């Protein structure tokens, strides 16, 4: 049969057009730039000649530049740990919320949504003061008052505490932003499970843990996959909070930098900027994201979860 | 296997009193039906027995054992729901095995018990499927199997047939009843379908707004409704009710109703006088009224009304004829061959034993009002 533009195609056109203009086109452009030696936005001079030089440069940076190696390690650790915190934390919060009294649940939800609702700069500023290395920093002043430490600690930059402390700060700051997403998605999914199933399980003698393990969590596994993949991709590309933390000196310049921020700084920082190199790093980031996304779907057995459609479509 | 007893059980949700001072006995091995309209507290009562809710006040006994404070799993009840509540991510086998696995029963025994109950409910071929691949009737059997596999002392059924089509409902009704009898299990079945209640129950408990309205075998609840609620809730179409005023005919109280006069029996007349009623509600069932072309004979003992046919609904085995009597609608059931036309003037005759009188203030049937008066008169 010859494919025809059915009603589905018709309704997809606007969305496809938007994706084309705002996503596919820039993507192609940036892949193209990654093969050019574009520097300091000097388009006239550098566009046109293409080579693999940027990728070669990245490869040797990876092998020989200790700072770039720090960035890569930070990216891996930051992404995986924050992902675990986001998904497991979101799941834990949603389950707690599910078993919680109605009256408590609203303030509780708002509380956890605050980090996401607060503007990035304000939210980061709170953490800036919290981890500030002077005696006035919140954490320092608390610990000094308690007598745990005598001197103020440079939490994110003291070489003796690197890299773990810098990583911890990144995970904490971003973790609080991310958990609310999982919490909201999981909570609404849990609420869609008929209440009678929970009652039936209780009558059959299920403890709260067994109820979660055998009845509730298996039924929201699709949502867990969704949140995991979504958070993975957004963590790979996030840099707003991290940028401020680095700029304000809360964390070490390299032990506190992920690849997404590296791309941003290379392309847009003052002084010499290297758009070609940044584009190459960005391209690699996209490839990593796509590959990891597929692996995640595979590992979570996405296919098995696809239910056969109820009727015959098409 | 066990008798279930409630003693003055109440359950409140904030300001709502879902179950109000309910005292009941569910006899061992009997099939009791809880019948009431939506929101009357039927499910709440069932969940109280299952232990999902703790009563606000009152006590619950299984035999001699006070289970009021026991969690659900220590009560050994089986529960079946209207929406089946099967776990969609488990096969039928795993659904049925689930209660046993929670109890840590060894797998070989689980297997033999699942097979046994599957055979009983004739679902052996479905064990490998998922609930989403079953019809409503099959899902209901699986839900029943899951409730029965743990050999419960009490089987609680919360409107289990409501989602099935009419024909299937009839056959599962009969099957469920047979199954309960052969297992000798104490069953409490919730429904808002009065025909279902009448056909299945050893005993019916009529409940409205959290209060028990009447308890008794189906015939009794039908023949001798304790109050107006029961009279109008049970029966299809429901009982006709007409307002009447009490007058005196040479010292004997008579009721003026819809333009005619009804002379109550001596027993009822006594209650009317004793309670000093000046108004009563006259009620009768549509199937107890006869439609006549001419006024009934002089000797007719009962209620006679004059009405005009408004609507005729032929149902095949009978017709439902709605008439207007002094401006009020009255329904009667007639045999199929009697099919009057709209506008026809006809006479309605209801023999005395079929006419029910109620106190309009308390809604009580006069016999039940008499009992109350007698109880109030006793000194203690
Ligand atoms: N968990 C609850 N919280 C607050 N109110 C409740 C709760 N459960 C029941 N109610 C209220 O208690 C009353 C009785 O509810 P219940 O579910 O027992 O009625 P029902 O007879 O089973 O009705 P239906 O035939 O519609 O199932 C209703 O007014 C209901 O709103
Ligand atoms: Mg109910």
């Amino acid at each position: 049969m010859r494919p025809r533009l059915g009603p589905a195609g018709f309704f997809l056109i606007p969305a496809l057009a938007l994706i084309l203009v705002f996503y596919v086109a820039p993507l192609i452009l940036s892949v193209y730039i990654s093969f050019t030696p574009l520097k300091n936005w000097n388009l006239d001079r550098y566009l046109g000649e293409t080579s693999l030089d940027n990728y070669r440069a990245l490869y040797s940076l990876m092998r020989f530049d200790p700072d770039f190696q720090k960035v890569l390690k930070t990216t891996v650790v930051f992404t995986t740990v924050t992902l675990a915190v986001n998904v497991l934390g979101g799941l834990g919060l949603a389950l707690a919320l599910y078993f919680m009294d109605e009256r408590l649940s609203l303030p509780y939800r708002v509380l956890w949504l605050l980090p996401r609702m607060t503007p990035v700069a304000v939210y980061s500023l709170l953490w800036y003061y919290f981890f500030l290395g002077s005696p006035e920093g919140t954490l320092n002043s608390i610990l000094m008052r308690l007598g745990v430490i005598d001197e103020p600690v440079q939490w994110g930059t003291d070489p003796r505490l690197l890299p773990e402390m810098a990583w911890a700060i990144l995970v904490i700051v971003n973790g609080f932003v991310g958990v609310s997403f999982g919490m909201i998605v999981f909570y609404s999914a849990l609420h869609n499970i008929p209440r009678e199933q929970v009652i039936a399980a209780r009558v059959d003698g299920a403890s709260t843990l067994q109820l979660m393990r055998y009845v509730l969590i298996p039924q929201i596994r699709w949502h867990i996959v969704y949140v995991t993949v979504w958070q993975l991709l957004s963590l790979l590309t996030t840099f707003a909070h991290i940028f401020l933390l680095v700029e304000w000196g809360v964390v070490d310049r390299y032990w506190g930098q992920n690849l997404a921020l590296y791309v941003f700084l290379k392309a847009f920082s003052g002084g010499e900027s290297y758009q070609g190199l940044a584009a190459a790093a960005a391209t690699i980031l996209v490839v990593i994201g796509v590959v990891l996304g597929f692996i995640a779907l595979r590992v979570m057995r996405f296919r098995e979860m696809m239910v056969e459609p109820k009727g015959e479509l098409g | 296997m066990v008798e279930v007893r409630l003693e003055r059980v109440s359950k409140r949700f904030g300001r709502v009193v879902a179950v109000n001072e309910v005292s009941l006995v569910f006899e061992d091995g009997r099939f009791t039906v809880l019948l009431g309209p939506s929101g009357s507290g039927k499910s709440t009562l069932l969940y109280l027995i299952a232990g999902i809710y703790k009563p606000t006040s009152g006590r619950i006994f299984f035999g001699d054992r006070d289970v009021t404070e026991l969690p659900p799993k220590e009560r050994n009840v089986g529960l079946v729901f209207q929406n089946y509540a099967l776990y969609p991510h488990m096969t039928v086998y795993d659904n049925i095995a689930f209660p046993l696995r929670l109890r840590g029963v060894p797998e070989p025994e689980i297997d033999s018990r699942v097979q046994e109950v599957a055979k009983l409910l004739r679902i052996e071929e479905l064990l490998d499927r998922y609930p989403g691949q079953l019809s409503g009737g099959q899902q209901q059997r699986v839900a029943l199997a899951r409730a029965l596999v743990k050999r419960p002392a009490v089987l609680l059924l919360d409107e289990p047939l409501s989602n099935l089509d009419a024909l299937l409902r009839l056959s599962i009704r009969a099957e469920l009843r047979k199954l309960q009898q052969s297992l000798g299990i104490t069953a409490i079945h919730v429904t808002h379908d009065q025909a279902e209640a009448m056909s299945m129950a050893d005993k019916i408990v009529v409940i409205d707004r959290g209060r028990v309205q009447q308890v008794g075998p189906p015939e009794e609840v039908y023949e001798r409704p304790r109050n107006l609620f029961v009279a109008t809730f049970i029966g299809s179409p429901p009982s006709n009710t007409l307002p009447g005023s009490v007058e005196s005919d040479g010292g004997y109280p008579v009721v003026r109703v819809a333009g005619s006069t009804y002379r109550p029996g001596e027993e009822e007349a006594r209650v009317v006088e004793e309670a000093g009623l000046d108004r009563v509600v006259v009620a009768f069932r549509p199937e107890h009224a006869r439609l006549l072309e001419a006024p009934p004979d002089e000797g007719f003992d009962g209620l006679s009304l004059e009405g005009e046919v408004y609507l005729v609904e032929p149902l095949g085995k009978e017709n439902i004829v709605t008439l207007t009597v002094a401006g009020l609608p009255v329904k009667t059931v007639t045999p199929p061959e009697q099919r009057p036309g709209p506008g026809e003037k006809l006479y309605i005759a209801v023999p005395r034993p079929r006419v029910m009188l109620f106190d309009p203030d308390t809604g009580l049937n006069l016999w039940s009002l008499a009992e109350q008066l007698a109880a109030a008169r006793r000194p203690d």
Side-chain angles (χ1 to χ4, degrees):
Chain A
M1 225 180 15
R2 210 161 56 88
R4 228 166 31 117
L5 185 70
F10 177 78
F11 286 109
L12 277 174
I13 284 177
L16 286 176
L18 285 176
I19 290 175
L20 211 66
V21 172
F22 291 105
Y23 189 78
V24 177
L27 186 72
I28 292 172
L29 206 60
S30 114
V31 171
Y32 169 70
I33 290 174
S34 78
F35 292 105
T36 69
L38 184 61
K39 241 166 55 171
N40 299 329
W41 293 113
N42 202 337
L43 302 179
D44 297 338
R45 172 143 172 228
Y46 294 112
L47 282 195
E49 39 177 315
T50 60
S51 72
L52 282 173
D53 283 353
N54 290 321
Y55 291 92
R56 285 200 199 96
L58 278 177
Y59 182 66
S60 48
L61 280 175
M62 192 174 91
R63 289 186 56 194
F64 304 115
D65 180 358
D67 288 341
F68 190 65
Q69 289 168 350
K70 288 179 191 173
V71 170
L72 292 182
K73 277 187 201 152
T74 301
T75 306
V76 171
V77 173
F78 163 74
T79 307
T80 47
V81 177
T82 315
L83 183 64
V85 167
N86 281 176
V87 175
L88 297 179
L91 186 60
L93 290 178
L95 285 167
L97 204 51
Y98 185 75
F99 288 102
M100 190 181 283
D101 196 288
E102 283 283 330
R103 277 163 301 178
L104 285 178
S105 84
L106 185 67
Y108 178 88
R109 261 179 294 173
V110 171
L111 188 72
W112 286 101
L113 273 170
L114 276 179
R116 189 173 286 272
M117 298 190 298
T118 318
V120 174
V122 176
Y123 174 75
S124 302
L125 199 59
L126 290 177
W127 287 110
Y128 167 77
Y129 284 120
F130 187 82
F131 288 115
L132 196 63
S134 69
E136 288 76 39
T138 316
L139 186 57
N140 277 333
S141 83
I142 291 175
L143 290 181
M144 280 162 75
R145 208 159 295 169
L146 290 178
V148 180
I149 50 175
D150 305 324
E151 305 263 286
V153 177
Q154 310 283 326
W155 296 103
T157 49
D158 186 331
R160 284 167 297 172
L161 298 176
L162 286 175
E164 288 81 5
M165 256 321 177
W167 288 344
I169 292 173
L170 294 189
V171 169
I172 289 169
V173 173
N174 284 278
F176 277 107
V177 181
V179 280
S180 58
F181 178 65
M183 178 183 81
I184 296 293
V185 173
F186 298 148
Y187 180 64
S188 64
L190 287 173
H191 249 261
N192 276 337
I193 297 173
R195 207 170 73 93
E196 283 81 2
Q197 285 183 29
V198 176
I199 294 179
R202 287 280 193 213
V203 166
D204 288 342
S207 65
T208 301
L209 270 181
Q210 286 170 321
L211 190 62
M212 292 178 188
R213 164 88 180 73
Y214 299 113
V215 178
L216 298 179
I217 293 177
Q219 292 195 59
I220 61 166
R221 58 201 194 281
W222 183 191
H223 299 84
I224 296 177
V225 173
Y226 167 70
V227 169
T228 305
V229 173
W230 179 270
Q231 290 290 74
L232 172 66
L233 298 184
S234 61
L235 283 172
L236 274 178
T237 53
T238 189
F239 65 88
H241 297 94
I242 301 177
F243 171 66
L244 294 177
L245 295 177
V246 169
E247 279 298 292
W248 295 340
V250 180
V251 290
D252 179 78
R253 183 146 200 99
Y254 294 104
W255 283 123
Q257 194 176 138
N258 66 347
L259 195 55
L261 180 57
Y262 180 84
V263 170
F264 174 79
L265 292 177
K266 270 282 170 273
F268 298 105
S269 70
E272 290 280 289
S273 64
Y274 302 88
Q275 286 76 35
L277 189 69
T283 304
I284 288 173
L285 204 54
V286 168
V287 171
I288 291 174
V290 169
V291 170
L292 287 182
F294 269 109
I295 291 176
L297 290 181
R298 271 320 261 275
V299 168
M300 309 260 188
R301 290 183 293 188
F302 178 70
R303 215 174 266 281
E304 273 177 35
M305 271 170 231
M306 299 301 282
V307 188
E308 298 220 348
K310 286 280 180 193
E312 296 199 359
L313 304 172
Chain B
M1 299 207 239
V2 71
E3 173 190 276
V4 177
R5 206 165 69 251
L6 309 184
E7 284 181 4
R8 308 192 49 172
V9 170
S10 296
K11 178 65 184 173
R12 268 169 226 273
F13 296 105
R15 247 189 253 141
V16 183
V17 186
V19 170
N20 196 348
E21 293 278 315
V22 168
S23 296
L24 278 174
V25 177
F26 299 95
E27 284 88 3
D28 185 1
R30 287 311 180 84
F31 198 101
T32 308
V33 172
L34 278 177
L35 177 63
S38 186
S40 56
K42 306 181 297 290
S43 298
T44 306
L45 199 58
L46 225 50
Y47 292 171
L48 283 165
I49 296 170
I52 298 299
Y53 296 147
K54 290 245 177 335
T56 313
S57 64
R59 309 223 62 87
I60 301 173
F61 296 87
F62 282 14
D64 298 329
R65 206 156 64 107
D66 184 342
V67 299
T68 315
E69 301 298 328
L70 290 187
K73 67 172 177 178
E74 284 168 46
R75 301 192 186 197
N76 195 22
V77 298
L79 191 48
V80 179
F81 301 90
Q82 175 176 353
N83 66 3
Y84 321 124
L86 298 174
Y87 310 119
H89 58 289
M90 296 184 198
T91 61
V92 167
Y93 184 98
D94 290 332
N95 263 283
I96 300 175
F98 189 62
L100 301 181
R101 293 205 169 120
L102 288 176
R103 290 182 184 190
V105 175
E107 276 304 317
E109 190 187 336
I110 291 181
D111 191 57
S112 74
R113 277 169 72 171
V114 171
Q115 298 295 346
E116 181 191 30
V117 74
K119 203 162 149 206
L120 184 69
L121 288 159
R122 291 182 280 113
I123 48 171
E124 298 117 298
E125 294 82 46
L126 309 179
L127 289 176
D128 294 331
R129 298 213 208 155
Y130 284 89
Q133 302 166 316
L134 304 180
S135 73
Q138 290 170 329
Q139 290 188 44
Q140 193 50 278
R141 281 168 202 278
V142 175
L144 205 52
R146 186 177 66 184
L148 290 174
V149 77
K150 49 183 182 169
R151 304 191 179 131
V154 183
L155 181 61
L156 304 174
L157 305 146
D158 193 355
E159 312 206 24
L161 310 180
S162 305
N163 282 3
L164 304 176
D165 70 62
L167 219 58
L168 196 57
R169 195 156 17 178
L170 284 182
S171 71
I172 295 202
R173 251 191 223 170
E175 227 177 290
L176 190 57
R177 194 60 234 269
K178 270 226 309 273
L179 190 68
Q180 180 268 336
Q181 275 167 346
S182 66
L183 296 174
I185 195 170
T186 310
I188 306 176
H189 177 109
V190 161
T191 179
H192 58 240
D193 176 345
Q194 50 92 22
E196 187 174 303
M198 297 293 286
S199 73
M200 296 179 83
D202 289 319
K203 183 167 96 176
I204 292 183
V205 175
V206 184
I207 174 169
D208 183 38
R209 283 178 275 149
R211 280 186 175 278
V212 172
Q213 304 294 321
Q214 187 166 7
V215 181
E219 317 77 60
E220 191 181 304
V221 173
Y222 174 81
E223 301 275 350
R224 272 167 62 86
R226 205 176 72 86
N227 59 27
L228 268 175
F229 174 79
V230 179
T232 50
F233 188 66
I234 293 189
S236 167
S239 294
N240 296 297
T241 57
L242 296 166
S245 59
V246 178
E247 290 175 5
S248 176
D249 177 14
Y252 193 86
V254 293
V255 180
R256 295 283 301 164
V257 51
S260 58
T261 307
Y262 172 69
R263 205 176 161 82
E266 281 177 22
E267 189 75 354
E268 287 167 326
R270 218 193 66 239
V271 183
V272 169
E273 293 201 308
E274 202 177 316
L277 299 179
D278 53 3
R279 290 173 304 128
V280 291
V281 175
V282 179
F284 59 91
R285 296 200 177 278
E287 55 272 34
H288 293 152
R290 271 183 306 133
L291 279 186
L292 308 170
E293 307 266 323
D297 311 333
E298 274 301 300
F300 174 74
D301 184 25
L303 171 69
S304 153
L305 301 166
E306 199 182 328
E308 189 183 309
V309 176
Y310 175 70
L311 179 72
V312 180
E313 300 164 72
L315 297 182
K317 69 175 164 50
E318 61 194 22
N319 301 320
I320 296 176
V321 180
T322 310
L323 304 98
T324 47
V325 177
L328 299 168
V330 167
K331 282 187 191 275
T332 65
V333 175
T334 65
E337 60 278 7
Q338 187 180 19
R339 197 160 160 180
E344 242 180 276
K345 287 230 177 334
L346 291 173
Y347 295 87
I348 302 167
V350 190
R352 175 188 307 288
R354 299 301 196 180
V355 179
M356 304 176 278
L357 298 180
F358 296 87
D359 170 11
D361 295 327
T362 59
L364 287 177
N365 200 325
L366 287 195
W367 62 258
S368 130
L369 183 65
E371 280 175 3
Q372 283 216 336
L373 290 174
R377 259 201 317 273
R378 269 198 297 273
D380 48 343

